Amino acid sequence: MSRPLSNDLRERVVRAVSGGESCRAVAARFGVAVSSVVKWSQRWRSTGSVAPGKMGGHRKRTLEPHRAFIEERIRQTPHLTLHKLKDELAARGVIVSHNAVWMFLRREGLRFK
């Protein structure tokens, strides 16, 4: 993921648009996309700041609170399939994809079959 352009550039772009230049002319002059000029101008008008919003972040792991249940099911039934485990989790109210179960097992080092 790329990082945001500097606030200095953003401020100069917004100042130029506020001064009456078109978004296309400002974009060409500063070498940025027209869509960026429009978005920065909108952000300036709505918040009074051109600073970028938060980028990225981490999602909480959905299956982490259910690790004990998953370990117990694997211990009880070593031939349990990923789809069956997913269905058992769904019965407990945890709706996840087949891939989410696989990634959790792989990340946690839980092996079976």
Side-chain angles (χ1 to χ4, degrees):
M1 182 182 293
S2 61
R3 36 181 251 262
L5 293 172
S6 71
N7 285 344
D8 177 54
L9 174 63
R10 292 166 176 253
E11 289 168 359
R12 287 184 286 144
V13 165
V14 169
R15 203 173 314 123
V17 171
S18 298
E21 287 186 64
S22 72
C23 289
R24 289 186 186 280
V26 171
R29 185 170 76 163
F30 288 99
V32 296
V34 176
S35 61
S36 294
V37 175
V38 171
K39 288 175 188 174
W40 295 342
S41 298
Q42 288 172 343
R43 181 182 292 266
W44 173 256
R45 285 191 298 273
S46 66
T47 67
S49 170
V50 294
K54 182 182 176 204
M55 291 179 65
H58 297 282
R59 291 181 54 189
K60 287 185 177 181
R61 294 184 173 160
T62 307
L63 293 175
E64 191 61 42
H66 305 280
R67 181 182 168 85
F69 169 76
I70 293 169
E71 285 179 331
E72 182 61 27
R73 287 300 298 134
I74 291 171
R75 198 174 309 112
Q76 289 174 352
T77 314
H79 60 278
L80 187 65
T81 65
L82 292 175
H83 289 288
K84 180 67 176 163
L85 183 56
K86 179 186 80 138
D87 294 341
E88 289 184 16
L89 286 164
R92 293 172 54 102
V94 182
I95 308 299
V96 292
S97 68
H98 170 267
N99 191 54
V101 176
W102 165 246
M103 294 301 289
F104 176 79
L105 293 173
R106 187 171 170 206
R107 182 176 53 248
E108 298 297 322
L110 299 172
R111 302 278 190 249
F112 65 102
K113 254 191 156 179

